[in-house]
Amino acid sequence: MTDTGITLRDANASFRAARYTEALALYDILAREQPRNFWLRLNAVMACLRAKLPAEAARRLEAIDRSPQIGDDVLSSTRAVVQQRLRDAGSVPRLYGPTDYLQWQRTSRRLAPLRRLRANKSFPSGYPFELELPALHGNGNDYRFIVDVVNRSRATGRKSTAKILVVVFASAQDDVDHALALLASQSFAHEQVEVLFVAVNQPEWPATEHAFHSSWLPYDRGQPVAQINQAIAGRNADLVVFLPPGVDHNPWLLEQLSHYHDVTDLAVFAFHTVDAASSDALILDRFDAGASLNWRGERYGFRKVGAGNLVVSAARLRRVQGFAAELFSLETAFRELGYRLYLDGAYFMPAPAECHITAASRKAWVAHWLTSTPTERFEDYCAGHWWRKQDGRYPVPKVSVYIPSYNNSAYIVQSVQSVLDQDFQDFEVCICDDGSTDDTLMRLQQHFGHEPRVRVLAGANGGIGAASNRAVAMARGMYIGQLDSDDLLKPEALGRMAAFLDDNPVVGCAYASCERIDAQGHHVKPEYSFPVFSREKMMMTSIAHHFRMFRRQSWARTEGFREDIVNAVDYDMFLKLAEITTFHHIDEVLYQRRWHGNNTSLVNEGAQSANTLVVLNKSLKRQGLQEFWAATAPNPNQPRKITYRRHQPTTRVFFWPDYSAANPYQCLLYSRLDERFDVLSGDLQCALKAITDQPAVGPVVFHLHWTNTFFKPGDGAERVKEAIAAFEAQLAAFKQRGGHVVWTIHNAVSHDNNQHAELERDFMCRLAIAADRIHMHSAGSFAELNLDLSAASGKVFVVPHGSYAGHYPDYVTRADARRHLGFDDRDFVLLFTGQVRPYKGLERLLEAFAAEAEGKPWHLLVAGKASADFAAHLATLVPPAIQDHVTILNGFVDDHALQLLYRSADLAVFPYERILTSGSALLSMSFGVAPILPRVAMVEELLEGGRCGLIFDPQDTTDLRRVLAEAYTAHLHGELASMNKAARQRAESLAWQGVDNLLCFTA
């Protein structure tokens, strides 16, 4: 039996009774009290599997997979079971932190923007040039990686099973009616929604009849926040939505929020409040008001949280222990809760619906909820420098210094005193005694028992990792400083580091330099100090020297300290931080490291060296690089001298130019390549460097895409010629060294600039001769290039453009989409979407549409980004008689909003004159919307002669009008449904296959 009275028999009984969530909680309690018993943690893994939480099982297994207590055989077999359950569950990931995103990039086969190399970047000695680390994701409040995963995962049509508790602060009957009307309009399953109305005293107005399970909570101003905690805790909810008055009637609000909950509880939402009289959001923005707002640069995202406007997962709310029960002001209580969620690693995002507040409703809100409460200073609870202007002692400190300690009574008092002697006051000391058998605890009590800034937690021995995790978990500070129990801080250490982090919001970890002292505290020498932080150097050796201070927010986004290894625990931790946030070295000596002969790193030096390789290979795994690379120490006499090797000969593909950040084409093109191919964004200079530095590793392929980068608007002919000549010289050198060149021809000539058309055609002819392979998306397109490429005809490889099926969110119904955009069932809706540019034939489309649409229920929807001049020009082409039939939405179409356009459309129209391929057409077909396209070879193949769409003759200026009329007739006779179904089936058959054959070469 443990201190809590829980026994292993209790936990096992819950497991056998199929109460897996209860069993998991009991195993966790037992594991905290018996940190050396890793079998308890393995039991928790099995409980996760039985509870159908494979992602959680995988995360927990990863934390114990170096445990010698369990053994490799059991760990390997358990890992196999977990991986199978993950495959069975599908590709929807679970994000616990930013590095989960990096691993998902490989396993999901839907990649984020790929690693980008620069040939002129310097690397530490022994570090491979090609081991470019992925860009940081999720630093600060940058939530883009969460949005990306949610968008991709909602393409499956899978319905959320989340249970949602909606909390409504009601001041009057109107607040109740508005909330119920909003909830009644939701596409989300009503039976999964519970409503809690909170009102000052028992309301006198009658309750409205509604279909939701609901209850009332009389709001007692004597204990306002504590009662809300109690009311929420007693309900079975996965997601808690505090619904302020005036929220837009977005019918997808709860569905969109549940999509985020299904992927992660890292996302916390706040409703953006606007003046009810001044809202001018575009129709697509109103679908997801959050998409048009950018809170990614918010330094303190919790500033967006106000009274009653928060959305948070119930699990995360429990994790931070709900509202601070001692607070009275609802505004302060919500903001303070937001601050603790911020410390817990949450990202603050705008909710997908705006909150419109009139002057009258704002006055009523203040009168009912924000007055008659004691004055509370937010700066007492929040250490952010915008609120806490002066140093001093506060109820909640800015800095927490954590000290893990084991049998170190000789030095622990001096260590703690060095913190108390700081010239900075806003701190606490958090000590975790790891089951010491000497008089450490007695000495701490004797010297600091009456010092409120020193907090001590004693527990069973679990090792340095477990003690560090427990110590940091105690910490309340915004910044966390690390002090070993035998070391000392210089008096200015805390103030200097905290001030730097205050002034540099993008830095998640700052570290200083240190000096060595002997057992008596005398200076010995300066410790090793690397001057400027480098992620690559950090992958060779730990350069994050003492004294280290990191943001609690950043630490909470990692897996914490490993508890299943003896040494290299700190190195592992700071590698994790370096994968998700920015580091900075303050080159000042702020720390004294005591060298007394019994230091852990010295006593266990063999384990330290072995575990260095372990934690580096774990870092590669977290960054999605373990398929290609492994850390190694080739010289047994120098076990700390690290280098990296590839697992096997690899085809290294350098693609250029890189448009993967804005266009998913390149990511999807390479997404099905296996570990035989390492795909990197890099120019020809990078490819040349790779084949020069490591020619024997495997083939090097330079994959050229668009050539428009050589023909920039405004460049004179001589400058263009110089750029081409330099490129061709590099290309010749690359081929001479054995490199291979693949060229994908996307366009006959660059779309946006015909100023140098002849130069570009000549260049393309020479490029066709130099290339080893020419990639076309269609077999017939090569003949349509109108270039003398007869010498290159044998080099052509046809790999069709794949579809985007399953890549974009797709859960909105046709009826809901049309209702949102203002169309009804009988309307015939034509859609043009994509970049709105002159070469795309919109003038022709508007002319044909104007000739046919008058007097008919036709609508043309044009959505995409256009220049101001071209947008104005398009508006002049719409005759007055049909202006109500044409909607031009000029602006970037968010991935999430694409489904609105395609779900509302009967057909998509792409009135190009000449194309070799069309991503827009594939996107349309992926949504099951047949396109209208010009008659060219690619179109004939893609649409299978007209089964999957309609084709017009681009040489006949009147033929597009004929096709539009034909389409309308098909619409009237109900014949478009079969064509749209065929379009979707055709898209699903194009699965980005054959790229491996295109890029496969022998060395």
Side-chain angles (χ1 to χ4, degrees):
M1 182 178 292
T2 65
D3 294 340
T4 57
I6 297 169
T7 67
L8 181 59
R9 180 177 297 176
D10 298 328
N12 289 341
S14 297
F15 186 92
R16 286 192 297 270
R19 299 193 301 271
Y20 300 119
T21 302
E22 177 184 295
L24 179 60
L26 295 179
Y27 286 133
D28 283 345
I29 292 171
L30 291 169
R32 284 194 294 271
E33 297 180 354
Q34 303 175 43
R36 293 286 191 184
N37 188 344
F38 285 91
W39 289 104
L40 290 169
R41 306 190 198 198
L42 188 64
N43 287 350
V45 171
M46 303 311 296
C48 288
L49 290 176
R50 292 293 182 90
K52 298 183 179 179
L53 300 171
E56 175 68 11
R59 185 179 74 89
R60 288 169 175 265
L61 183 61
E62 174 68 23
I64 61 172
D65 72 351
R66 302 300 302 177
S67 168
Q69 184 184 95
I70 297 176
D72 290 341
D73 291 344
V74 174
L75 287 168
S76 297
S77 60
T78 307
R79 191 177 299 112
V81 172
V82 170
Q83 292 302 318
Q84 184 59 52
R85 296 292 176 83
L86 285 170
R87 287 190 292 270
D88 294 343
S91 62
V92 178
R94 185 75 185 164
L95 294 180
Y96 298 95
T99 54
D100 293 315
Y101 177 59
L102 298 175
Q103 296 171 68
W104 182 63
Q105 288 181 31
R106 294 299 306 179
T107 58
S108 72
R109 300 304 180 192
R110 300 186 190 109
L111 306 188
L114 295 156
R115 292 179 291 138
R116 181 172 296 185
L117 270 68
R118 298 188 302 276
N120 58 355
K121 181 177 178 179
S122 60
F123 293 91
S125 174
Y127 189 90
F129 157 72
E130 297 170 45
L131 182 52
E132 178 69 23
L133 301 176
L136 293 178
H137 294 281
N139 194 20
N141 200 48
D142 189 354
Y143 48 76
R144 284 177 292 185
F145 75 101
I146 299 177
V147 175
D148 183 49
V149 175
V150 170
N151 282 349
R152 306 297 169 255
S153 65
R154 296 319 300 170
T156 62
R158 183 186 288 108
K159 288 294 185 182
S160 174
T161 59
K163 296 180 177 64
I164 299 180
L165 173 65
V166 180
V167 181
V168 179
F169 290 90
S171 306
Q173 181 71 48
D174 286 347
D175 294 336
V176 177
D177 293 342
H178 179 87
L180 290 174
L182 169 62
L183 295 175
S185 72
Q186 294 299 298
S187 61
F188 191 78
H190 290 185
E191 63 270 17
Q192 294 171 222
V193 179
E194 181 182 358
V195 188
L196 174 64
F197 292 103
V198 182
V200 176
N201 301 319
Q202 186 65 36
E204 298 176 358
W205 56 84
T208 307
E209 290 293 328
H210 58 85
F212 301 99
H213 175 63
S214 66
S215 56
W216 289 85
L217 176 66
Y219 187 78
D220 182 356
R221 287 180 172 170
Q223 50 171 6
V225 181
Q227 62 187 330
I228 298 175
N229 277 341
Q230 185 175 1
I232 293 173
R235 284 164 171 80
N236 181 24
D238 300 306
L239 187 66
V240 181
V241 178
F242 293 95
L243 194 68
V247 172
D248 274 343
H249 277 211
N250 173 2
W252 302 284
L253 170 62
L254 295 186
E255 186 155 10
Q256 290 168 339
L257 292 173
S258 71
H259 294 168
Y260 279 90
H261 175 269
D262 289 346
V263 167
T264 186
D265 69 355
L266 285 168
V268 170
F269 293 89
F271 290 93
H272 177 61
T273 301
V274 297
D275 190 325
S278 64
S279 178
D280 58 353
L282 295 175
I283 195 166
L284 291 181
D285 291 340
R286 290 200 297 270
F287 167 64
D288 183 352
S292 61
L293 296 172
N294 181 4
W295 292 1
R296 299 192 303 271
E298 282 289 327
R299 178 171 190 170
Y300 299 121
F302 61 88
R303 284 196 317 125
K304 301 295 185 179
V305 176
N309 79 337
L310 181 69
V311 180
V312 60
S313 81
R316 188 164 285 265
L317 194 58
R318 289 192 297 269
R319 177 170 161 176
V320 300
Q321 301 179 357
F323 294 97
E326 70 271 17
L327 295 176
F328 286 85
S329 165
L330 203 62
E331 184 78 22
T332 304
F334 269 88
R335 186 68 61 81
E336 189 276 340
L337 173 61
Y339 174 62
R340 283 185 288 116
L341 289 167
Y342 160 84
L343 296 184
D344 196 49
Y347 293 86
F348 291 82
M349 301 176 60
E354 290 181 336
C355 178
H356 299 277
I357 298 291
T358 64
S361 61
R362 189 184 301 275
K363 184 177 180 181
W365 176 262
V366 171
H368 280 83
W369 305 108
L370 304 183
T371 59
S372 302
T373 57
T375 301
E376 293 162 338
R377 301 194 317 164
F378 186 53
E379 61 264 32
D380 284 341
Y381 300 91
C382 170
H385 77 295
W386 286 358
W387 297 272
R388 192 171 290 181
K389 302 294 186 182
Q390 297 179 348
D391 183 27
R393 297 192 184 188
Y394 294 86
V396 176
K398 170 176 281 192
V399 174
S400 296
V401 177
Y402 79 93
I403 304 176
S405 177
Y406 176 71
N407 283 355
N408 206 15
S409 63
Y411 304 109
I412 186 70
V413 171
Q414 295 178 48
S415 295
V416 175
Q417 192 61 48
S418 75
V419 186
L420 298 178
D421 291 341
Q422 293 292 298
D423 59 13
F424 176 83
Q425 303 178 64
D426 196 0
F427 68 85
E428 67 177 353
V429 184
C430 299
I431 305 168
C432 177
D433 182 74
D434 192 34
S436 291
T437 57
D438 64 3
D439 60 346
T440 295
L441 285 174
M442 184 189 71
R443 289 178 60 79
L444 288 171
Q445 177 64 31
Q446 179 183 356
H447 287 83
F448 309 112
H450 300 290
E451 172 55 72
R453 292 177 296 173
V454 178
R455 302 166 61 211
V456 181
L457 173 69
N461 180 262
I464 183 66
S468 296
N469 280 330
R470 284 181 285 177
V472 175
M474 295 168 60
R476 298 171 296 163
M478 190 161 80
Y479 306 142
I480 310 294
Q482 182 193 41
L483 177 61
D484 290 346
S485 59
D486 45 6
D487 296 341
L488 304 173
L489 292 183
K490 292 291 189 79
E492 66 275 19
L494 294 188
R496 178 72 178 92
M497 301 292 274
F500 180 86
L501 290 175
D502 279 346
D503 294 340
N504 296 272
V506 300
V507 176
C509 179
Y511 62 98
S513 298
C514 70
E515 63 186 13
R516 182 178 298 187
I517 58 175
D518 61 19
Q520 289 73 41
H522 301 132
H523 174 82
V524 176
K525 65 176 182 177
E527 290 281 17
Y528 168 76
S529 179
F530 192 78
V532 179
F533 182 78
S534 156
R535 290 175 67 197
E536 291 79 16
K537 184 65 175 178
M538 188 70 175
M539 293 292 290
M540 303 292 286
T541 186
S542 180
I543 58 171
H545 338 104
H546 293 291
F547 173 51
R548 306 150 175 160
M549 185 177 287
F550 49 86
R551 297 182 189 273
R552 171 65 185 264
Q553 175 197 57
S554 299
W555 183 84
R557 292 169 178 172
T558 72
E559 300 159 352
F561 294 87
R562 285 200 76 94
E563 300 184 14
D564 59 346
I565 57 176
V566 177
N567 284 86
V569 173
D570 282 349
Y571 189 18
D572 174 74
M573 184 67 251
F574 288 95
L575 282 170
K576 290 172 181 172
L577 285 170
E579 292 155 14
I580 65 170
T581 190
T582 304
F583 276 48
H584 181 80
H585 179 212
I586 299 174
D587 199 3
E588 301 172 22
V589 177
L590 301 178
Y591 191 96
Q592 293 180 315
R593 186 181 182 209
R594 193 185 303 270
W595 200 253
H596 47 68
N598 292 316
N599 303 76
T600 303
S601 57
L602 181 63
V603 173
N604 297 307
E605 186 173 4
Q608 179 85 12
S609 299
N611 285 336
T612 293
L613 289 178
V614 169
V615 301
L616 285 171
N617 282 305
K618 290 292 185 183
S619 180
L620 290 174
K621 181 177 181 179
R622 288 189 298 271
Q623 297 179 82
L625 299 171
Q626 78 282 2
E627 286 183 309
F628 308 110
W629 296 93
T632 181
N635 187 346
N637 296 320
Q638 295 179 297
R640 301 284 187 91
K641 192 171 181 60
I642 304 298
T643 187
Y644 291 86
R645 59 171 175 78
R646 288 189 177 272
H647 289 305
Q648 61 184 27
T650 304
T651 297
R652 296 162 284 166
V653 180
F654 294 84
F655 73 95
W656 184 81
D658 180 3
Y659 296 151
S660 62
N663 185 337
Y665 167 82
Q666 287 171 313
C667 293
L668 289 171
L669 178 71
Y670 302 121
S671 65
R672 290 185 176 270
L673 295 176
D674 58 28
E675 63 275 5
R676 295 173 299 163
F677 299 87
D678 191 6
V679 180
L680 303 158
S681 164
D683 60 16
L684 185 53
Q685 189 177 355
C686 290
L688 186 58
K689 180 176 175 59
I691 202 169
T692 302
D693 289 355
Q694 290 188 307
V697 170
V700 178
V701 178
F702 178 66
H703 188 179
L704 176 66
H705 287 272
W706 296 270
T707 59
N708 61 317
T709 185
F710 296 107
F711 305 95
K712 298 174 183 176
D715 280 357
E718 290 305 314
R719 185 165 186 171
V720 170
K721 291 177 182 177
E722 290 174 3
I724 291 174
F727 176 81
E728 290 180 330
Q730 281 189 332
L731 195 66
F734 175 68
K735 292 201 67 177
Q736 187 177 22
R737 287 173 170 78
H740 307 278
V741 179
V742 175
W743 176 29
T744 294
I745 304 182
H746 294 272
N747 311 311
V749 290
S750 298
H751 287 310
D752 294 325
N753 181 26
N754 291 320
Q755 178 185 358
H756 304 297
E758 289 303 318
L759 284 175
E760 185 166 4
R761 289 190 182 95
D762 290 343
F763 173 58
M764 291 175 72
C765 289
R766 296 194 300 274
L767 192 56
I769 296 171
D772 295 282
R773 291 173 186 169
I774 297 174
H775 170 211
M776 305 295 298
H777 294 107
S778 164
S781 295
F782 187 74
E784 295 178 343
L785 289 173
N786 294 328
L787 297 172
D788 182 12
L789 300 178
S790 56
S793 59
K795 302 177 180 180
V796 175
F797 275 60
V798 177
V799 178
H801 192 305
S803 80
Y804 297 100
H807 189 72
Y808 290 97
D810 188 12
Y811 56 84
V812 173
T813 65
R814 175 182 171 87
D816 286 342
R818 288 201 159 206
R819 189 179 306 115
H820 187 82
L821 295 174
F823 305 133
D824 60 34
D825 287 342
R826 73 186 188 93
D827 289 332
F828 177 56
V829 180
L830 298 169
L831 171 66
F832 174 92
T833 188
Q835 293 184 347
V836 180
R837 294 182 178 178
Y839 72 85
K840 292 194 172 182
L842 275 166
E843 296 94 333
R844 172 187 292 192
L845 173 58
L846 285 168
E847 180 182 348
F849 183 84
E852 291 290 331
E854 189 171 355
K856 301 173 185 174
W858 286 33
H859 290 273
L860 175 62
L861 186 56
V862 178
K865 183 66 176 174
S867 66
D869 291 344
F870 191 57
H873 171 64
L874 288 178
T876 66
L877 301 178
V878 182
I882 62 164
Q883 283 185 348
D884 290 343
H885 296 254
V886 179
T887 302
I888 299 177
L889 301 176
N890 182 17
F892 175 75
V893 180
D894 181 76
D895 285 0
H896 210 62
L898 278 172
Q899 58 186 316
L900 275 183
L901 301 174
Y902 284 106
R903 284 287 153 257
S904 65
D906 291 292
L907 291 170
V909 188
F910 302 103
Y912 313 138
E913 293 185 9
R914 187 158 66 104
I915 53 173
L916 293 182
T917 190
S918 174
S920 296
L922 267 298
L923 178 61
S924 174
M925 296 170 68
S926 301
F927 275 99
V929 178
I932 299 175
L933 290 164
R935 187 180 302 281
V936 295
M938 181 277 297
V939 170
E940 292 278 11
E941 294 177 23
L942 177 64
L943 301 187
E944 297 180 327
R947 187 179 74 90
C948 309
L950 298 173
I951 303 173
F952 69 92
D953 183 355
Q955 305 305 316
D956 184 342
T957 57
T958 64
D959 200 45
L960 180 56
R961 176 179 174 180
R962 175 192 63 79
V963 171
L964 294 182
E966 178 185 327
Y968 183 55
T969 301
H971 165 73
L972 293 176
H973 290 87
E975 297 170 356
L976 290 183
S978 60
M979 184 179 293
N980 286 335
K981 182 179 179 180
R984 171 72 183 197
Q985 291 173 342
R986 174 64 172 143
E988 290 175 342
S989 72
L990 299 171
W992 304 94
Q993 294 176 336
V995 183
D996 51 350
N997 293 328
L998 173 69
L999 300 174
C1000 184
F1001 292 88
T1002 57

